[in-house]
Amino acid sequence: MTRVAVLGGGIVGLSVAWSLVGRGLEVVLVDAELPGRSSPVAAGMISAAAELEHGEPDLWELTSLSQRRWPEFAAALARCGGAPLQLRRTGTLLVAMDQDEEIRLDRRLRLLADAGVAAELLDRSELRRREPGIATTVRGAAWLPNDLCVERNRALNALRSALRKAGAELVEGVGRLRVTGERVVGIDVAAGTVFADHVVLSAGWRSGTAAAPGVLPTDLSGHDGIRPVKGELIDLEVAAPAVHAMIRTRVDRVPVYLVPHDDHHLTVGATSEQVGADTNPTVRAAHDLLVAATTVVPELRDAAIVAHRVGLRPAMTDNRPLLGSSPRPGLTVATGHYRHGFLLAPLTAEIVGDRVVHALSQGDLS
Ligand code: GLY
């Protein structure tokens, strides 16, 4: 049986590995619990339109397509993983808290209209009817009804469980690519080498250092290669539901999102800083995020802080994911998903799964 090794067990590596077992390949996934992983702290927003301002237009093609794949992806995963995923159509409210933000909201709506997204403008009374927890000082809001939210841990656990049930091997350890001549032939871990006919590199921001110098393309491993973008998030517990939809806004120019997971839990996110591989939670981030969150939803002052988490998003210089390209035989790359790991997981799994099968069919065997 043809064997593929996947380096990295975040949402991208797991999803790719699952698509590979579905294509009849033997899969070994190598993963280590290192600090700064982004998947276990992700808010789980599947909201291409709400992220549009952050992305370049051609990213929209990928994110909007992948969002449409999520319901089917989640249903198939629930069947194979043996437990339902918590994928909910909560919608997103883009909220303007002051006049500048109202102007910005207008610009966003035009950008969305150009992309073919119909966002519904809500007046204050309609907004307060839907979300009574939002501050009375709110200026305006737009409603994106199709946005989804997935509970990160359920999705990650379902993928691990689906992989095990399908006979994939999950190896714990820090891995590095093993190269013989020009060809990538496996993954070195402390206990030895996992040899494989093909290797997928999906190690997040660490992908650039997953091989000896000169092995990886410079856009991945060079000075301007993949970089960590630090994101801090706060998980809160509330006595009663504070909001029903995902909320996105800026308060004094601090971007903030609120993501309700159930009636009692929500995530407030996220900072975005290029400060290297720093995984320290900071007072500044907690202060900024919580001031912004409680300005939008004042009753969050009574919430309990459950966790302050830090994740390092893997970003390429153009903020687009690197899917497939590798000058090395035996290697396919799937990394650089930046803010969009969960959002892009179904499409990445499909694209990379097809590319690996194509490479193998072309005789790209070790
Ligand atoms: N996907 C949202 C974030 O990275 O903060």
Side-chain angles (χ1 to χ4, degrees), residues 42-45 51 231 233 248 257 269-271 313 338-341:
M45 293 178 292
E51 283 282 330
L233 306 97
R248 298 239 193 179
Y257 51 73
T271 59
R313 309 172 181 94
Y338 185 38
R339 301 175 60 91
H340 313 302

Side-chain angles (χ1 to χ4, degrees), residues 42-106:
M45 293 178 292
I46 311 298
S47 56
E51 283 282 330
L52 188 55
E53 70 168 338
H54 294 287
E56 292 66 25
D58 45 357
L59 193 55
W60 166 251
E61 237 174 78
L62 296 178
T63 54
S64 55
L65 184 58
S66 196
Q67 180 165 342
R68 289 199 292 278
R69 297 275 204 278
W70 251 101
E72 197 188 313
F73 182 79
L77 187 49
R79 279 195 302 276
C80 298
L85 259 74
Q86 191 176 304
L87 179 71
R88 293 170 309 125
R89 192 175 293 275
T90 59
T92 299
L93 277 168
L94 304 175
V95 170
M97 295 301 293
D98 59 36
Q99 201 180 4
D100 284 354
E101 291 302 311
E102 241 182 324
I103 295 166
R104 232 173 130 252
L105 184 60
D106 271 351

Side-chain angles (χ1 to χ4, degrees), residues 134-154:
I134 289 194
T136 50
T137 48
V138 65
R139 301 284 296 234
W143 173 233
L144 299 168
N146 294 323
D147 283 359
L148 307 165
C149 171
V150 66
E151 208 285 308
R152 59 192 170 225
N153 290 320
R154 283 193 190 219

Side-chain angles (χ1 to χ4, degrees), residues 34-240:
L34 294 170
R37 296 163 68 95
S38 50
S39 295
V41 309
M45 293 178 292
I46 311 298
S47 56
E51 283 282 330
L52 188 55
E53 70 168 338
H54 294 287
E56 292 66 25
D58 45 357
L59 193 55
W60 166 251
E61 237 174 78
L62 296 178
T63 54
S64 55
L65 184 58
S66 196
Q67 180 165 342
R68 289 199 292 278
R69 297 275 204 278
W70 251 101
E72 197 188 313
F73 182 79
L77 187 49
R79 279 195 302 276
C80 298
L85 259 74
Q86 191 176 304
L87 179 71
R88 293 170 309 125
R89 192 175 293 275
T90 59
T92 299
L93 277 168
L94 304 175
V95 170
M97 295 301 293
D98 59 36
Q99 201 180 4
D100 284 354
E101 291 302 311
E102 241 182 324
I103 295 166
R104 232 173 130 252
L105 184 60
D106 271 351
R107 277 205 305 270
R108 294 282 303 276
L109 291 182
R110 282 199 295 277
L111 184 67
L112 290 170
D114 288 347
V117 179
E120 186 190 344
L121 213 47
L122 304 183
D123 62 24
R124 274 162 53 149
S125 61
E126 176 58 16
L127 175 60
R128 300 257 316 138
R129 191 188 65 73
R130 290 184 190 209
E131 295 288 0
I134 289 194
T136 50
T137 48
V138 65
R139 301 284 296 234
W143 173 233
L144 299 168
N146 294 323
D147 283 359
L148 307 165
C149 171
V150 66
E151 208 285 308
R152 59 192 170 225
N153 290 320
R154 283 193 190 219
L156 297 169
N157 287 336
L159 280 162
R160 283 189 280 260
S161 156
L163 282 170
R164 285 197 189 95
K165 282 187 187 168
E169 195 185 338
L170 273 59
V171 173
E172 168 75 32
V174 179
R176 281 174 73 73
L177 301 187
R178 171 73 169 255
V179 180
T180 301
E182 279 300 295
R183 175 170 284 279
V184 175
V185 297
I187 300 173
D188 287 328
V189 287
T193 302
V194 175
F195 286 101
D197 300 300
H198 200 90
V199 174
V200 177
L201 174 59
S202 55
W205 71 272
R206 288 190 167 86
S207 298
T209 53
V215 168
L216 294 169
T218 51
D219 55 350
L220 199 56
S221 65
H223 182 256
D224 291 325
I226 194 163
R227 66 192 192 284
V229 179
K230 183 181 183 185
E232 297 187 46
L233 306 97
I234 315 273
D235 288 336
L236 299 180
E237 189 172 333
V238 286

